[in-house]
Amino acid sequence: ETFRAEGITPDELSQAQGYYRGRRRFDRQSPGGVLDTALWELGNELPTGFDEGVVQAIEALDVDTVKRFAEEFYAADAFTLVKVVPE
């Protein structure tokens, strides 16, 4: 409920944006990664470059937008947290 009530901090948003940027760059280091992105877009009937648009949209997010989204769509009681540990 903290997420819904208080949102995230600017630092948390920056970390999330950085994670997505880095993950995307890592995934596209090889020709296979670039092909995977292109096939994902094609298979989902998305325009070429859709993935880049997602990155731009994530970069444009601000803390207030994330908070408004959480208030409207996030319901903590609809999620279950499971911790898996080896035996």
Side-chain angles (χ1 to χ4, degrees):
E1 281 302 310
T2 303
F3 174 57
R4 184 179 181 137
E6 299 174 20
I8 61 174
T9 66
D11 187 52
E12 289 170 329
L13 177 59
S14 178
Q15 287 179 18
Q17 290 166 325
Y19 170 82
Y20 191 83
R21 260 192 323 271
R23 183 70 203 170
R24 184 172 178 279
R25 287 179 184 149
F26 180 79
D27 288 345
R28 300 194 76 194
Q29 284 183 352
S30 69
V34 174
L35 178 61
D36 183 55
T37 298
L39 290 175
W40 177 79
E41 290 173 345
L42 183 65
N44 288 288
E45 299 179 0
L46 299 168
T48 301
F50 178 84
D51 187 57
E52 181 59 35
V54 171
V55 172
Q56 291 171 1
I58 289 171
E59 292 294 328
L61 286 174
D62 59 48
V63 172
D64 292 331
T65 302
V66 174
K67 185 173 187 330
R68 283 192 306 274
F69 176 86
E71 289 170 347
E72 187 171 347
F73 295 104
Y74 181 76
D77 58 347
F79 295 92
T80 302
L81 180 62
V82 176
K83 182 177 180 180
V84 179
V85 295
E87 292 184 305

